Amino acid sequence: MKNQSEKGMVINMKRSYFKYIFGLLLFGSNGIVASYIDLSSYEIVLLRTLIGSLLLIILFFMGKGTMTFYQYKKQFFCLVVSSIAMGASWMFLYEAYARIGVSISSLLYYCGPVIVMALSPLLFKEKLTAIKVVGFLSVLCGVFLVNGNAFDGNGDTFGIFCGLLSAVMYSLMVIFNKKAYNITGLENAALQLLISFLTVAAFVGFKQGFEIHIQQSSILPILILGLLNTGIGCYFYFSSIGNLPVQTVAICGYLEPLSAVLFSVLLLKETMLPIQIVGAVMILGGAVFGECIKRGEA
């Protein structure tokens, strides 16, 4: 009986890894899809959260799901904070994109996992092993190499500030979502996206109103970004991170910027410098090393 229980836990963990990695790959393709949308960054974030949340809500009720969040008031509060942080993180990130470019914005944004990993021993009582530190340092160095050419231009103080705030919001999103451990699966993802949409909608409504002019050529990529990349991607992401160690979430999360670089080279025919290839190898190698070597020692 015990062996069956342990086997079930292993299978569940493998599924969580698969969903998490697939979700990261979907997120990594966001820039590719968004490049075909002729809207402002805030409008793109508004539409992707709207469409994604509607999809997940429909799937939840089609699957005859039952809402349980009201039974866990403290955890729901944590989920609300996580959702607001996600919406704010995306808005800060897209503002940084517009001001200082994708490369340096991505570099600043992915300081978020550094914050998560640094706080995990204090907040989640997870041991920060030497193997994970080495793997994480490899990942961090790789991110700098992949985005190193971003520092050639002149800086924009507010743009850099937005990039740093996106990292802080990212860390809050992960940390508070981990604390909503009884609100899981599709319910978690649907609520996360819905509250994020309301957060973005409040900002956009205050900033410019809700009059959005959508070109016909932008309709299909908007649907792909909202339904697949955001809706399905967020379901895979948020239904898996609760079952994974927070340091694993932090380290493997760097597969998102790695995939973003690879997709831009393969699909947009962007040039990848030798130093960026080295950085990509360090990101992937660090993530694998931090996880697989640790398991071999267990």
Side-chain angles (χ1 to χ4, degrees):
M1 197 74 178
K2 184 178 180 181
N3 290 335
Q4 290 182 346
S5 178
E6 291 177 352
K7 186 177 180 180
M9 291 177 62
V10 171
I11 292 175
N12 186 52
M13 182 67 74
K14 287 182 178 179
R15 287 177 179 172
S16 294
Y17 270 104
F18 171 79
K19 290 193 293 184
Y20 181 58
I21 291 173
F22 190 70
L24 291 175
L25 293 177
L26 286 176
F27 291 155
S29 66
N30 283 340
I32 305 296
V33 180
S35 66
Y36 293 96
I37 301 175
D38 186 21
L39 290 172
S40 70
S41 57
Y42 300 117
E43 291 169 339
I44 292 174
V45 175
L46 176 68
L47 290 174
R48 68 176 292 198
T49 52
L50 170 61
I51 297 172
S53 60
L54 287 176
L55 171 65
L56 293 188
I57 291 171
I58 290 172
L59 291 177
F60 181 80
F61 286 109
M62 284 181 62
K64 299 181 179 179
T66 302
M67 288 289 181
T68 61
F69 67 90
Y70 58 87
Q71 300 176 14
Y72 312 101
K73 293 182 180 179
K74 290 183 178 180
Q75 292 184 38
F76 179 61
F77 173 77
C78 291
L79 184 64
V80 169
V81 174
S82 175
S83 305
I84 293 173
M86 185 174 80
S89 177
W90 284 353
M91 287 191 290
F92 283 128
L93 178 61
Y94 276 83
E95 181 66 19
Y97 281 164
R99 290 177 173 271
I100 58 178
V102 174
S103 295
I104 194 168
S105 299
S106 299
L107 174 60
L108 294 173
Y109 180 64
Y110 276 91
C111 289
V114 181
I115 301 172
V116 173
M117 176 167 285
L119 294 177
S120 63
L122 177 64
L123 297 177
F124 301 104
K125 311 301 181 185
E126 292 185 5
K127 184 179 180 182
L128 193 60
T129 63
I131 292 296
K132 282 202 169 185
V133 171
V134 171
F136 175 75
L137 290 177
S138 174
V139 166
L140 190 60
C141 290
V143 171
F144 272 91
L145 292 178
V146 166
N147 296 279
N149 61 324
F151 294 100
D152 294 338
N154 295 322
D156 181 309
T157 303
F158 185 69
I160 293 173
F161 179 67
C162 287
L164 290 172
L165 280 179
S166 73
V168 173
M169 293 297 106
Y170 175 100
S171 65
L172 289 176
M173 175 194 71
V174 174
I175 289 170
F176 278 92
N177 191 275
K178 288 282 289 185
K179 290 181 176 294
Y181 48 83
N182 282 321
I183 307 173
T184 60
L186 198 52
E187 180 185 11
N188 181 299
L191 289 171
Q192 185 90 19
L193 259 185
L194 177 61
I195 298 169
S196 294
F197 161 69
L198 295 176
T199 302
V200 178
F203 175 82
V204 173
F206 178 78
K207 183 176 186 295
Q208 66 182 50
F210 295 108
E211 186 177 353
I212 300 176
H213 301 284
I214 303 175
Q215 302 292 330
Q216 186 173 357
S217 59
S218 297
I219 294 176
L220 180 59
I222 287 173
L223 291 175
I224 293 174
L225 185 65
L227 296 174
L228 180 61
N229 291 53
T230 305
I232 301 301
C234 282
Y235 166 64
F236 282 161
Y237 183 88
F238 289 109
S239 65
S240 61
I241 62 173
N243 299 321
L244 299 173
V246 69
Q247 293 168 14
T248 297
V249 172
I251 292 177
C252 292
Y254 282 97
L255 293 175
E256 182 182 335
L258 170 63
S259 63
V261 171
L262 294 178
F263 289 149
S264 66
V265 171
L266 296 174
L267 302 177
L268 297 181
K269 307 301 180 183
E270 294 183 359
T271 303
M272 192 170 184
L273 302 174
I275 192 171
Q276 291 177 311
I277 296 176
V278 173
V281 171
M282 291 186 71
I283 292 171
L284 183 59
V288 172
F289 181 78
E291 288 305 304
C292 295
I293 301 298
K294 176 202 68 173
R295 294 178 185 279
E297 292 180 348

